[in-house]
Amino acid sequence: MPGLIAASALVKLYAMGEETVHALDGVSFDIERGGYVAIVGPSGSGKSTLMNLIGGLDTPTGGRLHIDGHDIGAMDDSDLAVFRNRTIGFVFQSFNLLPRLTALENVELPLIYGGVESRRRKERAIALLRRVGLGERLAHKPTQLSGGQQQRVAIARALACEPQILLADEPTGALDTHTGREILALFKELNQEGVCVVIVTHDSEVAAQTARIIEMRDGKIVRDQHAPAPA
Amino acid sequence: MIRSTDLVGAAMRALRANPMRSALTALGVIIGVASVVAMVALGSGAQARVEANIQSLGSNLLIVVPGAQRGAGGVRGAAGGWDSLTLGDAEAIERDVANIAAVAPVQNAGGQMIANGLNWNTRVLGVTPHYFIARDLAVENGRPIEDADVSQARRVILLGPTVAQNLFPNMDPVGQTLRLNGGAYEVIGVLESKGQSGFQDQDDIALAPLTTVKRRIAGRRGRGDSISQISVKAVSEDLIPIVEADVTDVLRQRHRTDGDDDDFTVQNLASITDAMKETTQTFTLLLAAIAGVSLLVGGIGIMNIMLVSVTERTREIGLRKALGARRSDILNQFGLEAIALSVAGGAAGLLIGVLGAWGITSAMGLPLVLSAETPIYAMLFSGLVGVTFGAYPAWRAARLDPIEALRRE
C-alpha cells in the first residue's frame, strides 16, 4: 500500500529573470497515513516549495506527487481547490484569521467552500472550537484573542473538513516558547487521533517533537531520519 | 461547491465592514440613476403637457389656412396670397367631403374693446355655430352663437375668460354692452377656460358672428368672400388622413392648382402633435443620455474602489483559496459585491430621482409622469453597471496566485 504522500523525482523550477532556479531538484519520499513529520532546512532550501506542492497550492514541474490517491500534477485549478478543501488543513505562522469574522465564523470558512449547510456547519465549528479549548470564545474577534488562542482557532479551522493532512508552516514562529509548546502538544494529540501532521520549520526544538525529520538543502533531501519509537 | 446564500452573505459582510466607503462608492450610481430617472420623468411631463395643449385646440381637427406652406428657404407659393380661401370653399368642403363632423369658416379681426371705462385689446374671431363643435368650445355662462346671429349679423359677442376678467372685473358680463371699433355689442356669454397654450393665452379672445365681423369689425379685410381659415373636424381620429386628402382635393379643384402651386395649406393637428412629441422625446433622450454619463462615472467609481479592495484584501483572497475557494467562488464574491453596491445605489437613486422629479415638475407646473417601467429599468441598468465595472476587479481577484497572495503583508 503506497503512503499517504508519495513523491518521486519531484522537480520544481522557477524562472527568476534570466536564471532558472531549481527550487526542488529530484526529491523522493513517502509519508504514511498518520505520520508526524517535520520538514526542516534553512531558507532557500526548498522546504516552502515542497509545502506548497503538498498543499496543492502549486503544481510540480517534473516528477510525480500523489497525495491520498490524487495526482497533484494532473489536477486543474478547480480540482486543486476541492483537494485543498477536503484533504489539507493549513496552519500558518501568522494565523491568517479574517479579522472581521468571529472565531466561529473563521472556523466555518472551509465548510462554506465545502458546501456544508449552515446549521451543520455551526455545530461542527462549535465542536472543533471546544476541542481546541475555546468553547467560551466563539463570538470573539481575532483581535480579542491572544496569539495562542488565535492559533488554536486556526487549527480548529484547519480541521474543519476532516482533512487527511494537517500542513503547518512555522506554527510556533509567532508565539512565545510556552504557548508554542502547548500548540505542539495539541498537534501531538491530533496526530494520535489519526491525522497526519506535517510541520515545516527551521526550529530544531520543534522538529525534535516529531516522529520523523526530513532535512532539505538546495532543493534536495539531505537527511531523512526517523526518531526512535517511543518506549 | 459554495452555496449561493453563503456567497451573498460574504459579499454583504464585506460591504458592511466598511459602511462609509460602501456608501460613498454607491453615491456615484445614486446620482447617476437619480438624474436619469428625474430627467426622463421631466421629459415625459413636458411631453404630456405639449400633448394636452394641442389637444385643447380641438380633437380630430384640420385647419385650412390661405397660402402655401413654407418650402425650403421660406419661399411662399406664388398664387393666392392671403385672400385665397373663400366662404365658397367652406361650403364646398361641407358639401363634398364625407366623414366630417363640422366645417367652420373663421374671419380673423381684432380691436380695442371698451366697457366700464376699461379697455382691452384682443383678437376677435368671426365664427358660425359650427366653430364651437370644431374646437370643442363650451360656454360657461350665457349662450353660444346661433344660426340666427349669423344670418341677421347681430351685434353680439362672446368673451374669453381673460377678456371678461379685464373688462368686467367682479361682475357678470352677460347682458352688458361693450364698444368695439366704433360699434356697440351685447355680451351674450363667457367661454370656458382653455388655459395657456405654451405661446399664447387661449382665453384672451372674443367670438362674434361671422357676418358681423366681416361687415363691421374686420374692416377692409372683411370685404368680399375671403375668410381667414376653415376649421374642419373629422368624425374620428383614424379618418383624419382621409378627410385631409379629400379637403385638399376639393380645394385643388376649386382653386385649379395641382400641388406645386397650392395657395392654401391643410394643417393636421395630429401630425403637429406627433412632431412636437418627437421633439420632446428627442429632448428627453438627450437629457437622459447626459444623465447616463454620470451613471458611467459612478460605474468607474465602483471599479476603482473594487480594485483598491482587491489589493487590500489580497491576503484574504489567498487564504480563502487555501481553504478551498475556487476561482469562480472568488469571482462571484467580488462580482456580487460590485453588483450589490450598484443595485443598492440604483434603488436609492430611484427614490431620490422620483422625489427630485416630483419637486421639479411641481415647481414648473408640469404633470408628474412616471412610467411603470422606470423602476425596472433603473434596477436593470444599475445591475448592468455593477456587472460591467465589477467584472475586471473580480477577475483580477480570482486569478491571484494563492502563494503570492498569502505572502503579501
Side-chain angles (χ1 to χ4, degrees):
Chain A
M1 181 172 169
L4 177 62
I5 304 173
S8 65
L10 210 51
V11 174
K12 181 69 189 180
L13 304 179
Y14 289 116
M16 294 282 256
E18 299 276 296
E19 263 178 282
T20 303
V21 177
H22 285 67
L24 288 180
D25 193 5
V27 171
S28 302
F29 63 90
D30 266 24
I31 295 175
E32 68 284 8
R33 275 170 208 281
Y36 192 10
V37 181
I39 300 175
V40 299
S43 58
S45 62
K47 63 182 196 300
S48 291
T49 305
L50 185 58
M51 184 198 72
N52 289 337
L53 290 176
I54 293 172
L57 291 168
D58 207 350
T59 50
T61 315
R64 295 196 317 158
L65 178 60
H66 285 259
I67 298 174
D68 198 23
H70 301 284
D71 182 353
I72 298 297
M75 290 199 282
D76 67 16
D77 200 78
S78 171
D79 293 336
L80 282 172
V82 174
F83 167 80
R84 292 192 292 262
N85 185 247
R86 305 236 174 104
T87 311
I88 305 292
F90 286 97
V91 177
F92 303 94
Q93 175 174 1
S94 52
F95 324 133
N96 273 341
L97 299 176
L98 292 189
R100 296 190 311 269
L101 305 188
T102 63
L104 185 69
E105 288 166 337
N106 266 291
V107 177
E108 280 185 75
L109 269 181
L111 295 163
I112 286 177
Y113 290 114
V116 179
E117 81 49 54
S118 164
R119 204 159 46 82
R120 256 186 352 116
R121 204 163 68 203
K122 277 210 168 52
E123 285 167 11
R124 171 100 183 118
I126 291 168
L128 283 165
L129 282 166
R130 288 207 178 116
R131 169 69 190 82
V132 299
L134 290 174
E136 310 297 312
R137 301 273 194 280
L138 301 178
H140 284 55
K141 295 276 172 74
T143 47
Q144 299 167 309
L145 298 172
S146 72
Q149 287 170 331
Q150 288 188 55
Q151 195 61 303
R152 283 168 190 274
V153 174
I155 291 169
R157 181 181 66 189
L159 293 170
C161 292
E162 296 176 314
Q164 293 287 333
I165 301 164
L166 206 57
L167 193 57
D169 181 14
E170 299 285 7
T172 60
L175 303 173
D176 63 69
T177 317
H178 175 71
T179 315
R181 285 198 186 120
E182 283 179 3
I183 293 298
L184 287 173
L186 181 57
F187 278 139
K188 189 160 246 163
E189 278 176 45
L190 294 169
N191 178 246
Q192 276 158 7
E193 287 167 20
V195 182
C196 174
V197 178
V198 177
I199 299 176
V200 177
T201 182
H202 60 254
D203 185 339
S204 55
E205 197 183 326
V206 171
Q209 299 294 312
T210 64
R212 176 182 172 190
I213 298 172
I214 297 176
E215 188 176 338
M216 302 209 41
R217 202 171 291 265
D218 301 327
K220 290 189 167 69
I221 295 177
V222 292
R223 194 165 63 108
D224 189 348
Q225 184 188 24
H226 290 256
Chain B
M1 200 49 192
I2 188 167
R3 286 157 180 268
S4 46
T5 48
D6 292 326
L7 198 62
V8 174
M12 292 304 127
R13 207 192 306 270
L15 296 181
R16 275 205 308 269
N18 230 327
M20 189 63 175
R21 179 199 275 194
S22 299
L24 287 174
T25 308
L27 192 61
V29 176
I30 293 176
I31 292 172
V33 170
S35 50
V36 171
V37 168
M39 287 306 129
V40 169
L42 198 62
S44 308
Q47 194 175 323
R49 172 68 166 281
V50 166
E51 271 171 58
N53 279 341
I54 296 176
Q55 279 301 312
S56 74
L57 291 178
S59 52
N60 309 335
L61 188 62
L62 295 169
I63 298 175
V64 186
V65 295
Q69 206 152 27
R70 275 179 199 279
V75 180
R76 197 172 281 275
W82 294 106
D83 297 335
S84 60
L85 281 185
T86 63
L87 276 171
D89 289 334
E91 282 157 14
I93 290 167
E94 192 162 17
R95 193 175 59 234
D96 297 339
V97 178
N99 305 318
I100 51 180
V103 176
V106 178
Q107 175 66 54
N108 291 347
Q112 189 84 2
M113 294 177 181
I114 303 158
N116 288 324
L118 297 168
N119 67 77
W120 190 253
N121 200 323
T122 191
R123 292 183 297 146
V124 180
L125 302 186
V127 299
T128 61
H130 277 157
Y131 188 77
F132 291 83
I133 302 166
R135 293 301 186 99
D136 298 328
L137 285 177
V139 176
E140 189 184 278
N141 182 11
R143 66 168 178 89
I145 286 167
E146 287 158 4
D147 283 331
D149 298 323
V150 179
S151 59
Q152 296 168 29
R154 283 182 186 153
R155 293 179 169 218
V156 294
I157 197 161
L158 273 107
L159 304 181
T162 304
V163 181
Q165 272 155 31
N166 280 287
L167 285 180
F168 302 99
N170 309 319
M171 63 187 287
D172 183 5
V174 176
Q176 303 290 323
T177 304
L178 59 76
R179 297 193 68 80
L180 170 62
N181 293 2
Y185 297 86
E186 184 198 349
V187 178
I188 55 168
V190 176
L191 295 170
E192 213 166 64
S193 176
K194 284 234 160 191
Q196 202 77 21
S197 156
F199 319 107
Q200 66 183 156
D201 180 0
Q202 294 191 79
D203 294 337
D204 186 7
I205 201 165
L207 302 180
L210 179 63
T211 43
T212 313
V213 171
K214 284 185 73 68
R215 283 179 210 164
R216 302 182 192 279
I217 303 173
R220 282 184 61 195
R221 277 199 284 167
R223 288 183 200 155
D225 247 0
S226 80
I227 49 176
S228 310
Q229 55 158 276
I230 306 170
S231 294
V232 181
K233 187 187 184 73
V235 171
S236 69
E237 196 179 345
D238 40 317
L239 289 170
I240 292 174
I242 297 170
V243 173
E244 184 178 6
D246 291 349
V247 167
T248 308
D249 279 349
V250 166
L251 291 179
R252 279 185 187 154
Q253 270 176 26
R254 288 180 54 86
H255 293 203
R256 299 181 202 290
T257 60
D258 60 6
D260 292 333
D261 56 352
D262 279 348
D263 54 0
F264 62 89
T265 304
V266 181
Q267 293 173 340
N268 180 346
L269 273 194
S271 64
I272 294 173
T273 310
D274 286 346
M276 295 287 266
K277 246 196 229 176
E278 207 169 301
T279 311
T280 45
Q281 247 160 19
T282 309
F283 215 70
T284 306
L285 216 64
L286 185 75
L287 286 173
I290 293 169
V293 171
S294 61
L295 192 57
L296 195 75
V297 173
I300 292 169
I302 286 186
M303 179 152 80
N304 187 17
I305 289 298
M306 288 310 294
L307 281 173
V308 170
S309 172
V310 168
T311 307
E312 279 179 356
R313 288 153 69 190
T314 297
R315 211 176 157 78
E316 172 189 334
I317 294 161
L319 175 76
R320 285 179 182 273
K321 284 194 157 191
L323 298 182
R326 303 159 197 236
R327 277 188 191 171
S328 58
D329 296 333
I330 301 293
L331 188 80
N332 289 339
Q333 186 190 333
F334 279 83
L336 217 63
E337 281 181 31
I339 292 169
L341 273 177
S342 62
V343 169
L350 178 65
L351 194 72
I352 294 170
V354 169
L355 287 176
W358 175 75
I360 298 169
T361 49
S362 57
M364 290 173 69
L366 290 174
L368 177 61
V369 181
L370 291 170
S371 70
E373 297 98 54
T374 303
I376 299 168
Y377 280 125
M379 298 325 281
L380 212 67
F381 269 99
S382 52
L384 204 67
V385 164
V387 171
T388 309
F389 293 98
Y392 176 62
W395 177 78
R396 283 260 300 245
R399 65 184 271 278
L400 278 175
D401 175 14
I403 300 170
E404 288 290 323
L406 278 169
R407 205 174 286 158
R408 196 86 56 88
E409 277 311 318

